Amino acid sequence: MTIHESLISPTANPELERALRERLARRSAIAGGFGELEPLAVRLGLIQNTLTPKFQNPVLALFAADHGLAVEGVGAQWGRSTHDQAMLALQGRLPSAVLARLHGLHLQVIDCGIAEDMAPHPKLQLRKVAHGTRNSIFGPAMSRENLHAALRVGMEIANNLDGNVLACAGMGMASNECAALLLSRLDARLLRELLSPQSMATLDLLEAVLSRHREALDAMEAMAAFGGYEIAVMAGAMLVAASKRMLILVDGLPACAALRCAASIAAPVTDYVLFCRSNREPGLDTALHGFHAGALLSLGMDSADGTGATLAWPLVRSAAALLSDVHEFPMQSAIAGGTAPVAALQDAEADGPDPTATTPADFTEATTVPASATELLPLAERSTYPGNPLLD
């Protein structure tokens, strides 16, 4: 499976963008302005190439792998091994796992190259390319053959998804530091600008790694030189996800490094990305600046990557609902007490309700939305709260 840049269409569409903005303007004329939700809603419409963006079967994928640099003490400040981190996620003991379940995201842990073998689990994909990368202080972290294999694994993972949302986050000891090495080389940034304060103790060692691989200048060479497997698998997944016009949520430094590598292969992949953040690491600020972007939410957390994506997801759904689920009808009808014509509601109702909406505990088929505008409609035409097939 290969990806050529021409298979990923840029989302730019002036005519559709104008129609999306007009659609939002009609809604804001009824209910007031929506602030920062409006440009987000426009982005979602452009990504899906529709006036009524809808989401189905969203996935939070935690890509996990070990790095040879960890034997030098790199990443040791985070405490738990990659295997233990993955187990905590699978057991629902990480905030990202709990919030994913709460908000209807399907959690998948991808074993891209964990040093230890993982026991089978319904939420675990065993796609190990190797038992961790080699130590890049002595040579390339991975061979070209293993790099290509990792990219293909990511492509296959995204190709097999039946939904249209992929949230990506990395997991592993020394994952952030290897991501910093990649971004430092590809974006010509000072390495210290991308490291966390805890990682600065290994700055001299990491600078030596950069110096050893000074000839690894393009993305493929840099991935082979620095690793890791989770970054390469993520890059492959992002390429295919973009070719399928999926929304990609990028959370954390390893995911940013994967996106940077994917964009060097097919630049339009960034059109399909929204950035999230789970911590206050200054390196993430530098990485986002390189994409001329900011995170959807910045809540001052210091949590594991993936947490920010689960919290941003309800915001994304809300923005899409402004285009897809808000009914339109003339204001005069509401003021005069008349019934809104069914034709004025057709673009909202024809697409059906948001499949990721949650169901109130006291829901019955007769339950109606208690909004004054909706109460003006005949009972048969009032909105109901649909069930959520994504929640356990």
Side-chain angles (χ1 to χ4, degrees):
M1 184 183 302
T2 60
I3 284 290
H4 188 273
E5 183 167 352
S6 62
L7 297 181
I8 301 179
S9 303
T11 61
N13 185 333
E15 184 176 350
L16 175 60
E17 182 174 350
R18 182 169 58 253
L20 288 165
R21 295 189 184 282
E22 290 174 353
R23 191 178 181 87
L24 288 167
R26 292 195 297 272
R27 279 132 170 84
S28 62
I30 297 173
F34 305 114
E36 293 300 317
L37 283 180
E38 293 190 17
L40 176 56
V42 171
R43 281 286 308 278
L44 300 176
L46 292 173
I47 286 171
Q48 294 193 2
N49 197 33
T50 179
L51 288 171
T52 55
K54 295 282 187 179
F55 297 114
Q56 59 185 8
N57 298 333
V59 169
L60 170 63
L62 303 179
F63 296 82
D66 276 302
H67 297 259
L69 274 177
V71 302
E72 306 290 339
V74 176
Q77 69 273 14
W78 306 116
R80 292 189 177 90
S81 69
T82 306
H83 176 276
D84 290 347
Q85 294 175 47
M87 287 303 301
L88 288 174
L90 292 171
Q91 294 165 0
R93 295 167 62 190
L94 289 185
S96 57
V98 173
L99 293 171
R101 183 173 65 249
L102 177 66
H103 295 305
L105 287 153
H106 296 296
L107 175 68
Q108 288 288 305
V109 177
I110 317 296
D111 177 1
C112 309
I114 299 176
E116 303 172 62
D117 289 327
M118 299 286 294
H121 189 282
K123 296 180 180 179
L124 174 66
Q125 290 196 43
L126 296 170
R127 304 304 302 268
K128 196 189 303 287
V129 180
H131 290 78
T133 59
R134 296 191 290 261
N135 190 341
S136 55
I137 191 66
F138 300 115
M142 65 180 87
S143 67
R144 269 302 180 105
E145 292 74 19
N146 280 359
L147 170 58
H148 293 162
L151 289 168
R152 286 195 299 270
V153 165
M155 291 177 179
E156 291 169 3
I157 289 171
N159 194 54
N160 291 333
L161 294 176
D162 58 1
N164 58 3
V165 181
L166 176 62
C168 298
M171 173 182 288
M173 292 185 70
S175 183
N176 277 20
E177 288 79 6
C178 289
L181 288 169
L182 271 170
L183 290 168
S184 175
R185 175 56 49 82
L186 297 179
D187 286 344
R189 298 273 183 180
L190 291 174
L191 183 58
R192 63 173 61 250
E193 295 177 354
L194 292 155
L195 294 175
S196 67
Q198 297 89 341
S199 299
M200 290 301 293
T202 59
L203 177 61
D204 290 343
L205 174 68
L206 296 173
E207 291 279 12
V209 174
L210 270 181
S211 178
R212 178 178 180 86
H213 301 286
R214 65 177 65 87
E215 296 180 359
L217 299 178
D218 66 25
M220 295 295 286
E221 293 172 344
M223 274 194 289
F226 306 123
Y229 287 122
E230 81 284 14
I231 293 174
V233 172
M234 262 194 286
M238 290 174 182
L239 288 168
V240 169
S243 73
K244 296 170 65 176
R245 300 196 77 100
M246 296 176 64
L247 171 64
I248 305 169
L249 300 178
V250 167
D251 188 350
L253 204 63
C256 285
L259 177 62
R260 180 64 179 80
C261 294
S264 72
I265 298 172
V269 69
T270 57
D271 288 2
Y272 296 86
V273 168
L274 295 174
F275 292 93
C276 313
R277 70 182 305 161
S278 303
N279 52 64
R280 297 177 292 177
E281 288 195 18
L284 192 52
D285 294 323
T286 303
L288 293 176
H289 180 73
F291 290 107
H292 307 287
L296 283 178
L297 290 176
S298 185
L299 301 177
M301 298 186 297
D302 275 315
S303 188
D305 292 347
T307 309
T310 62
L311 293 172
W313 171 236
L315 184 66
V316 172
R317 283 177 48 198
S318 299
L322 294 179
L323 289 167
S324 301
D325 297 342
V326 177
H327 295 172
E328 289 185 15
F329 52 88
M331 284 296 293
Q332 291 86 345
S333 299
I335 297 173
T339 299
V342 175
L345 304 173
Q346 60 184 3
D347 59 349
E349 294 183 343
D351 296 299
D354 182 353
T356 61
T358 55
T359 306
D362 58 350
F363 168 77
T364 68
E365 290 299 327
T367 304
T368 57
V369 179
S372 58
T374 306
E375 289 168 354
L376 298 173
L377 300 175
L379 181 61
E381 296 178 14
R382 297 186 187 183
S383 298
T384 59
Y385 290 103
N388 184 356
L390 301 178
L391 296 180
D392 296 332

